[in-house]
Amino acid sequence: GVSGTRGQTVEGLEGFARTAVLLASWLRSGRPKDVKLYSGKIFNVENHLLNGLVNGTSPQSDEYWGDIFDLDQRIVEAADIAIAFWIIKDRVTAKLSKNEIEQILNWLAQTNNKRIYGGNWLLFPVIINCVLLDYQHINTDTLLDNNYKEFKTFHVAHGWFTDGNGGEIDYYNVWQMQYMLFWANEIRPTLDRTFIMSVFNEFSKIYQYFIGPKGIPIYGRSCCYRLAAATPLVAAAIHYPDIWQARARQALNVTWSYFLSNGAIKNGRVTQGYFEDDEDLLENYSGRASPLWSLRSLSLAFYSRENENIWEGVTEKLPVEKSSYDHHFQELGIRVTGDYQSGEISLYPNLKRSFSDQKIAKVFKRMSKIRKFLQYFLKRPLRIENYDVKYRLRKYTSSAPFFKNQN
């Protein structure tokens, strides 16, 4: 794969952290710790997680993930490390020494009092401090409450958030905010349970219209996380199985089937693009392991046992599989339509904005050969941001993703 701006050590941390929650959920649900790979080798999930946690947080280890600094990508990855560490707490306390547990907790605690970017980043210290408190490591109630309260101010309506003050309402609601709120509620149910539970249900009432067998109307940054599209419905299904279980199963089925059939997995890895590998779709911070956030929908699904919730019962057709629709959500400033005959879903996310179409760059720009040469020579990504095309178009459709309109 291609690298981002974070460096090899952090990309290695990303690779471990972004698979750790899925593997921890696999163990928690009672599935076997020994998994036979296609190569015939046996992969021990428990050993992999425990060894990784110990070695990655030990300054004496060659595999040390490094100290944590202001605005550090390690803060992002530490949240998934903390979740996995919490999920397998019974194995941690049974298999690791007190010094090893303390070492992991101390590394996680480095994230506190570090500067962060705000917006969805506020959820990373929220999760980490939920885990620190659960392990009774240090009293971080004030830090936890302050970060959570600030994040909550970004709530617009019906479980949807902007990504910071004046930020966008985009798919980070899907693969980051709903996901992190799920784990915050699991780890520390006293945090804000009534509100968070309502978020899962209310968000999914709207979001179910975004998903169909022929894809989603993708827009915004980080579209390489696309396989996580069903995450909110899975979260809702775990808490409201009678309402969402059957639709969540269908959402998982159709999103994974759609993207797999379009090249989302290649040689056992999640590709760096929307369909197949496509470097121009990556942000400059995106590296080899970045697309593994795509696994978040499965991380929640495998958190349930094989005879629970998401794995039981029948599937239910999604709205676009039942009939056509045209819904306006005024408080969010969005409109979503679905066509039953074609299966196409269209999104109009800028109803509240006033800007001239003439000022909007409507063509997705790809790197020139010269730019690619400079990127290779300078050894750092020089990908084009394409912000207008990702966020400012009047209409986005499932059948023609924004990058199809290109130079």
Side-chain angles (χ1 to χ4, degrees), residues 293-322:
W293 264 19
S294 278
L295 301 178
R296 288 183 160 186
S297 57
L298 293 184
S299 295
L300 296 194
F302 279 110
Y303 188 64
S304 295
R305 297 182 186 277
E306 293 181 76
N307 61 349
E308 291 178 340
N309 296 325
I310 198 69
W311 303 108
E312 280 292 293
V314 299
T315 59
E316 178 185 343
K317 289 182 178 180
L318 295 164
V320 76
E321 298 177 276
K322 298 177 180 178

Side-chain angles (χ1 to χ4, degrees), residues 11 15 93 109 130 143 149-150 169 195 205 302 313 323 345:
E11 288 195 10
T93 54
C130 283
L143 282 169
K149 287 176 181 177
E150 184 178 351
I169 298 177
F195 172 74
K205 286 180 181 178
F302 279 110
S323 63
I345 300 172

Side-chain angles (χ1 to χ4, degrees), residues 135-201:
Y135 271 89
Q136 300 180 337
H137 180 60
I138 50 177
N139 189 342
T140 57
D141 274 318
T142 301
L143 282 169
L144 171 58
D145 290 343
N146 289 344
N147 283 317
Y148 177 72
K149 287 176 181 177
E150 184 178 351
F151 171 76
K152 194 175 176 181
T153 65
F154 308 145
H155 184 243
V156 180
H158 310 298
W160 293 71
F161 299 81
T162 57
D163 196 357
N165 289 322
E168 306 287 353
I169 298 177
D170 61 13
Y171 278 92
Y172 269 73
N173 275 277
V174 174
W175 44 62
Q176 164 65 351
M177 299 171 190
Q178 298 286 314
Y179 176 83
M180 286 296 178
L181 287 174
F182 173 87
W183 290 115
N185 187 60
E186 286 293 296
I187 300 165
R188 195 167 181 80
T190 58
L191 178 64
D192 196 8
R193 186 170 181 82
T194 300
F195 172 74
I196 294 174
M197 291 286 285
S198 71
V199 162
F200 299 146
N201 192 39

Side-chain angles (χ1 to χ4, degrees), residues 210-262:
F210 284 57
I211 302 179
K214 295 186 179 179
I216 58 176
I218 190 66
Y219 79 107
R221 63 192 177 99
S222 300
C223 67
C224 64
Y225 306 152
R226 71 286 197 195
L227 287 162
T231 299
L233 294 182
V234 180
I238 290 173
H239 290 292
Y240 300 96
D242 292 344
I243 302 173
W244 293 109
Q245 178 176 296
R247 271 171 284 178
R249 286 193 68 198
Q250 180 69 353
L252 269 177
N253 288 342
V254 301
T255 53
W256 277 85
S257 295
Y258 174 75
F259 287 113
L260 288 178
S261 67
N262 282 283

Side-chain angles (χ1 to χ4, degrees), residues 67-72 75 106-117 121 125 143 147:
D67 294 340
I68 298 174
F69 305 99
D70 291 339
L71 307 176
D72 195 340
I75 297 170
N106 285 336
W107 185 82
L108 291 172
Q110 287 186 53
T111 59
N112 283 328
N113 300 311
K114 299 296 192 299
R115 286 192 298 125
I116 59 175
Y117 287 105
W121 272 60
L143 282 169
N147 283 317

